[in-house]
Amino acid sequence: MNKPVNDGLWSGTWVAERLGVELVGDDGLTDLLGLALRRNPKRAHLLVSNVLGKHVPQSPSVVYGHGFALGRRVRDQLGAERSGRAVVLGYAETATGLGHAVADGLGTAPYLHSTRRPVPGIATAGGFEESHSHATSHLLLPEDPALLASDGPLVLVDDEFSTGNTVLNTLQALHARYPRKRYVVVALVDMRAPSDADRLRRFADRIDAEVSLVTTASGTVRLPADVLARGQELVARHEAAQQTEPKPESVACGDPEGAIPPASAECGPEPSRSDSVGVPDGSESVAGAGASAASAEPCGVTAGRGAVGAVYRGASVVPGQRGSGRVRRVELRWPRGVPDGGRHGFTPVHRNRLERALPAMAARIAEALPRGARRVLVLGCEELMYAPLRLAREVEQVVEAEVRYSTTTRSPVLAVDDPGYAIRTRLVFPAHDDPADGPGERYAYNVAGGGFDAVVAVVDSAADTPELHAPTGLLARLAAHTPHVLLAVVPSHLPVPPHAPERPPMLPEPLRGPAFSSYAPDEVGWLLQDLSDATLEAPTEEREEAIQSGGAHYAESLPVEYQPSEQYQELFHAALTASAARIAQAVGVVTETILAELPLRRRNPAGPEDNPGPGSGPVLVSLARAGSPVGVLMRRWARFRHGRDLPHYAVSIVRGRGIDTNALRWLAAHHDPRDVVFVDGWTGKGAITRELAQAVRTFEEREGVTGFDPEIAVLADPGSCVRTYGTREDFLIPSACLNSTVSGLISRTVLRADLVGPHDFHGAKFYRELAGADVSNVFLDAVSQYFPEVADRVDLAAKELLSTERTPTWEGWAAVERISEEYGIHDVNLVKPGVGETTRVLLRRVPWRILARAGAGADLDHVRLLAEQRGVPVEEIDELPYSCVGLIHPRYTRGATGADGRAVTH
């Protein structure tokens, strides 16, 4: 809905009047932005751009013109020489088209945008988190690895700055990997508070780089003190009203004329038999003034909150648009070799070829439009924004109809049918591009009721799936609201993985004790290289500053080993005595689960189940080092209960850099990858779980080796991140209380380019000098002695677990995102949930504060002692999903004086 349709009423009026929200800033700010509502624990309002082409259909010339003009301003700021060396990076999903238009404005800049769609065989050139988003993880997947490696300016493009956290996260991640001296940050609107602007300036000072800003407009959002509570109440009230609306009668489902084969998949709703103005199936809105009507349901779909395409009644829709839409394909003849967008890089050569092909493609679309069409929407698909935008802009030049452009989105927003509200209606449909994070709802806003005579849906071939054509899919939803739907498919660009370089024919054998670690040689083989002679330790404060400033990765150095006081050692032994039986039971349950389920992984779909032969079974591969004591205990359980000696190795995995691929090659050469079971101690928010899944997928595609199951088996899964666990309770595992002295005297793993070559295992140190304080085998023996006592309980618990629904809910990740926002940290990597992760924060990082569940008992004694020793406040929380959560100092420099909860200033 554009401003003229609203009769000049600002599309933020409805929210502003009810919540007291004000937009204050440059002239024209309210022309650029409207307001809507969403359910969010930190912010109920949503800024909705009128010129981005995401939520609000807009003239494609207006959308493209804003981005292109920003690019011209960047070019003027940088000058000709530096502009010629610049690279532009946009953000998925909202700013992918805007960033591409900015690159066009620069003229000769290659373009890349982040993506949430991983590609097998393509290694990530980086990644970062958007902590406030509903889907946080961004991947950078350039086809040419050198795209980001130049020393020219990097131009970062987002649609808006609310706090600047996403930009800071990106700069930290990329500057650590591809340092440069010049950054330009671009957005349509800058709504940051002065303190957030200061953070960006301080960061630029720390990395000794110039960071400048280019925006169309700037301002601030003024919020009353109770805005969050009022907003949440308002959202809840309208959502409740949606749920209580009466259901319409279902109608028979026919075969719409012109449906795309197969006909059964194109079954759409029949026209409503009522003459009333209403919402056809799949559209959603909250009733505005005088708007209410029932609508037809699609066959086989029941209205309701949980149904895909559920109908929330009440939007005004132009009569005569309902239920009879025709769906036809239009062949674009997309130019061969031109990518569909910037997901894997888009060069000036690609830009020139696309420019030459656009007129002919637009002519084909124009020819396919119905005669007499007065209003046409070109609808893109999530990250696919640029190709539909350029097609729409070209069509706008050659047809007499009014052309508008917008795209579908992942973002859930409340719809209110009021001319003073930015999101008038929404269509709901299932995801249709096989997303990596699983199925879910997707949305198209302000399409229903938009008066469109035709909608041109532009998708890439990866999204041209049965879900797109299903009765509840996007095409059926569109056909319910417009007489004509055209489907234009752009071929998905599939980058070719680079040729793998030749590697040494043999990798070294695993390191074993007593030469490396204090474990017995048969307990574990370390797929690591010995860096004991290297000086890697740095003071904790120095490491923290380097990590947070982007100057170093945490795996490039080691913290100084914590030497426990006598009081702390007593706590460790008391905790071990109290929890040994509980740990023994968890060890037994997770091991029995693996032994029971492994045969299913070896099943051959083309024939009978493999016969692995006597003595074969799981190959335990622990993630060094927290997982290694657990792997040893699991191996001991299998020997105690079944007389089986399971192989056990330890490998390195590094957050942000993946698993040791040389270790995977060694495992694949010596064992069946289907037998490998990755083992860790516990899950926190699940970051390593995600890291492992992506790393294994990339390795298998690149190496042509298949069979590795990336799921991790853990003793405790309080974050609900995995299927295989001993318990989901958050309790103290005493091996988390200490560092190397409970882990075979092995340091955490190291990955540094000057020490670890491309054909080397990751490294670690063996602290032989700490042998007098070593309790590694004390811990193992204390737990193992309880195996006979817990055996019967393990049998019962394992049987119960095997029959239980264990699909991960990722509750921990959601809780961490909430805590990150509530405490103003805005970086999930600085929030460490669970007893084990909290202990690590206190031992290795610069802690800011500890959150403890009210009433938590002896499990947290050692945490309280460490917090007292380091002067860190412990805050008790009534409804904490973990026993405790450790918060790393969010803005640490060596000038920071402690964990007082205040921002660090210079």
Side-chain angles (χ1 to χ4, degrees):
M1 299 291 178
N2 302 314
K3 198 169 183 180
V5 177
N6 293 341
D7 297 324
L9 185 65
W10 177 45
S11 62
T13 304
W14 192 92
V15 174
E17 289 178 347
R18 286 158 178 78
L19 297 185
V21 177
E22 292 183 75
L23 260 62
V24 180
D26 296 343
D27 292 338
L29 189 62
T30 54
D31 290 331
L32 293 174
L33 296 175
L35 293 172
L37 294 176
R38 60 182 176 181
R39 179 178 292 279
N40 187 290
K42 286 294 292 180
R43 184 173 61 180
H45 73 280
L46 174 70
L47 299 175
V48 179
S49 173
N50 292 318
V51 299
L52 183 65
K54 175 55 74 171
H55 303 89
V56 179
Q58 178 59 275
S59 161
S61 293
V62 171
V63 176
Y64 187 74
H66 272 83
F68 192 89
L70 286 168
R72 283 287 191 246
R73 289 176 57 194
V74 174
R75 188 182 67 174
D76 293 342
Q77 185 182 104
L78 291 176
E81 190 275 330
R82 286 198 293 185
S83 294
R85 297 187 294 112
V87 177
V88 180
L89 174 64
Y91 288 91
E93 66 176 51
T94 308
T96 59
L98 177 67
H100 212 142
V102 169
D104 287 356
L106 269 137
T108 58
Y111 176 64
L112 178 73
H113 69 72
S114 66
T115 180
R116 296 187 177 102
R117 185 191 288 181
V119 176
I122 299 301
T124 60
F128 51 92
E129 299 292 330
E130 186 179 5
S131 57
H132 65 275
S133 174
H134 55 281
T136 61
S137 296
H138 288 248
L139 302 173
L140 297 178
L141 303 175
E143 185 170 19
D144 179 5
L147 182 65
L148 292 171
S150 70
D151 60 356
L154 181 63
V155 181
L156 304 173
V157 184
D158 209 349
D159 58 314
E160 69 171 64
F161 300 150
S162 297
T163 63
N165 293 320
T166 301
V167 168
L168 275 173
N169 287 343
T170 310
L171 287 172
Q172 288 182 2
L174 291 181
H175 192 78
R177 193 164 185 172
Y178 310 107
R180 62 189 76 222
K181 288 294 186 181
R182 188 72 166 89
Y183 297 92
V184 182
V185 181
V186 180
L188 288 170
V189 292
D190 178 10
M191 305 299 288
R192 295 173 302 160
S195 59
D196 291 320
D198 287 339
R199 285 199 297 141
L200 184 60
R201 283 192 289 270
R202 290 197 302 269
F203 176 80
D205 291 339
R206 285 201 302 271
I207 65 173
D208 190 26
E210 182 181 356
V211 181
S212 59
L213 196 68
V214 175
T215 64
T216 301
S218 62
T220 58
V221 183
R222 291 181 179 172
L223 304 173
D226 61 345
V227 65
L228 181 59
R230 290 168 58 192
Q232 290 174 336
E233 188 277 332
L234 190 58
V235 172
R237 175 152 45 89
H238 281 290
E239 288 185 338
Q242 293 168 354
Q243 296 181 59
T244 58
E245 288 286 351
K247 298 178 184 179
E249 294 180 2
S250 294
V251 298
C253 183
D255 182 5
E257 180 184 3
I260 301 175
S264 60
E266 298 306 316
C267 182
E270 291 290 329
S272 170
R273 298 175 185 175
S274 169
D275 292 329
S276 302
V277 176
V279 181
D281 30 44
S283 69
E284 300 188 341
S285 178
V286 177
S292 65
S295 63
E297 290 284 333
C299 60
V301 178
T302 302
R305 183 164 175 78
V308 175
V311 184
Y312 298 160
R313 313 297 187 278
S316 297
V317 177
V318 179
Q321 278 191 271
R322 297 172 307 217
S324 57
R326 301 178 59 195
V327 182
R328 295 185 293 121
R329 287 187 186 268
V330 55
E331 295 297 331
L332 290 176
R333 300 179 192 171
W334 187 263
R336 186 184 299 274
V338 174
D340 53 301
R343 183 179 287 115
H344 306 295
F346 198 95
T347 68
V349 173
H350 295 144
R351 182 178 295 116
N352 292 337
R353 293 189 59 199
L354 178 61
E355 294 288 347
R356 292 195 297 268
L358 277 170
M361 291 191 288
R364 296 182 189 103
I365 293 175
E367 185 178 357
L369 290 172
R371 293 182 182 274
R374 295 166 300 171
R375 186 169 166 85
V376 175
L377 173 68
V378 178
L379 184 68
C381 178
E382 298 187 42
E383 293 179 9
L384 186 72
M385 296 187 69
Y386 180 73
L389 174 60
R390 296 305 312 276
L391 289 168
R393 182 170 178 266
E394 200 70 23
V395 169
E396 190 177 36
Q397 312 303 315
V398 298
V399 300
E400 295 181 359
E402 179 184 11
V403 178
R404 289 293 179 262
Y405 160 81
S406 65
T407 71
T408 66
T409 177
R410 288 168 162 250
S411 179
V413 185
L414 188 73
V416 177
D417 183 40
D418 188 284
Y421 188 85
I423 303 296
R424 301 287 295 276
T425 63
R426 73 177 185 178
L427 302 180
V428 184
F429 52 93
H432 52 90
D433 63 344
D434 190 26
D437 57 353
E441 290 183 343
R442 301 294 186 263
Y443 312 94
Y445 294 110
N446 294 325
V447 176
F452 297 110
D453 300 305
V455 175
V456 183
V458 182
V459 305
D460 64 356
S461 54
D464 185 15
T465 61
E467 288 81 5
L468 175 68
H469 301 274
T472 57
L474 172 61
L475 297 180
R477 296 299 177 215
L478 295 174
H481 296 279
T482 184
H484 298 273
V485 177
L486 301 180
L487 174 63
V489 179
V490 177
S492 300
H493 178 61
L494 297 177
V496 178
H499 175 68
E502 293 185 5
R503 297 182 175 88
M506 294 183 63
L507 288 162
E509 289 301 301
L511 302 172
R512 296 185 182 273
F516 188 83
S517 88
S518 60
Y519 292 137
D522 62 333
E523 299 265 40
V524 57
W526 303 86
L527 295 176
L528 299 169
Q529 64 166 315
D530 189 352
L531 298 180
S532 299
D533 294 332
T535 302
L536 298 169
E537 292 76 15
T540 300
E541 292 78 8
E542 182 179 314
R543 292 183 75 248
E544 192 66 47
E545 182 177 19
I547 292 168
Q548 291 201 29
S549 70
H553 190 277
Y554 77 89
E556 293 176 348
S557 63
L558 294 172
V560 176
E561 278 286 306
Y562 169 72
Q563 298 301 309
S565 64
E566 183 176 346
Q567 183 183 5
Y568 189 82
Q569 292 182 61
E570 291 174 357
L571 277 177
F572 166 79
H573 288 287
L576 180 57
T577 300
S579 62
R582 192 178 185 183
I583 297 170
Q585 180 170 328
V587 168
V589 170
V590 70
T591 309
E592 293 297 335
T593 302
I594 289 169
L595 292 171
E597 292 188 334
L598 183 70
L600 299 177
R601 289 167 50 179
R602 294 192 61 99
R603 193 175 301 278
N604 182 355
E609 185 175 319
D610 291 348
N611 180 11
S616 66
V619 176
L620 304 177
V621 177
S622 59
L623 303 182
R625 69 185 170 188
S628 300
V630 178
V632 174
L633 286 170
M634 292 171 66
R635 184 179 184 279
R636 288 188 179 189
W637 177 272
R639 185 170 51 195
F640 154 75
R641 194 65 169 158
H642 302 282
R644 300 175 67 174
D645 283 320
L646 303 182
H648 174 214
Y649 307 97
V651 303
S652 168
I653 187 169
V654 176
R655 179 172 55 79
R657 298 189 178 181
I659 198 167
D660 187 340
T661 54
N662 286 313
L664 291 186
R665 292 187 194 102
W666 190 95
L667 290 168
H670 292 80
H671 299 279
D672 188 330
R674 292 174 298 174
D675 290 337
V676 168
V677 177
F678 294 103
V679 173
D680 208 354
W682 56 85
T683 63
K685 57 182 173 284
I688 289 298
T689 305
R690 294 185 176 193
E691 186 83 40
L692 180 63
Q694 175 63 36
V696 168
R697 184 164 52 244
T698 300
F699 170 81
E700 291 192 339
E701 290 298 326
R702 180 179 295 175
E703 300 291 326
V705 177
T706 60
F708 286 109
D709 185 343
E711 182 176 323
I712 305 174
V714 297
L715 283 191
D717 179 36
S720 188
C721 307
V722 299
R723 291 187 68 257
T724 307
Y725 52 85
T727 179
R728 276 189 168 154
E729 296 180 12
D730 183 19
F731 74 100
L732 173 61
I733 300 172
S735 60
C737 292
L738 299 170
N739 287 322
S740 67
T741 53
V742 77
S743 304
L745 298 181
I746 300 301
S747 74
R748 69 174 306 155
T749 59
V750 174
L751 180 58
R752 208 170 78 186
D754 60 329
L755 297 173
V756 179
H759 310 310
D760 297 329
F761 292 139
H762 293 185
K765 296 185 74 168
F766 175 27
Y767 290 117
R768 299 170 177 84
E769 66 275 16
L770 299 180
D774 186 24
V775 292
S776 303
N777 288 291
V778 171
F779 169 72
L780 297 175
D781 294 341
V783 175
S784 301
Q785 70 176 345
Y786 280 95
F787 286 172
E789 179 180 314
V790 302
D792 291 341
R793 296 202 298 270
V794 166
D795 290 343
L796 291 174
K799 288 178 182 178
E800 181 180 351
L801 189 64
L802 288 166
S803 62
T804 300
E805 171 57 45
R806 292 177 280 142
T807 302
T809 64
W810 293 93
E811 294 175 1
W813 190 278
V816 165
E817 289 183 327
R818 185 175 65 251
I819 291 169
S820 173
E821 292 300 308
E822 289 177 354
Y823 283 84
I825 295 175
H826 309 302
D827 184 350
V828 292
N829 292 323
L830 300 182
V831 180
K832 303 296 185 180
V835 182
E837 295 301 303
T838 301
T839 305
R840 286 177 167 183
V841 169
L842 289 163
L843 294 179
R844 305 178 191 168
R845 304 295 294 270
V846 175
W848 182 44
R849 65 177 65 185
I850 304 300
L851 311 182
R853 185 193 297 153
D859 274 354
L860 300 189
D861 284 349
H862 76 291
V863 168
R864 295 187 184 96
L865 177 61
L866 285 174
E868 180 183 352
Q869 291 175 346
R870 299 202 64 179
V872 180
V874 178
E875 179 180 336
E876 290 205 346
I877 307 294
D878 287 333
E879 297 183 357
L880 196 66
Y882 296 89
S883 295
C884 59
V885 176
L887 305 183
I888 297 172
H889 204 303
R891 299 167 191 171
Y892 182 75
T893 69
R894 276 170 287 184
T897 57
D900 57 4
R902 298 173 185 159
V904 177
T905 58
H906 292 281

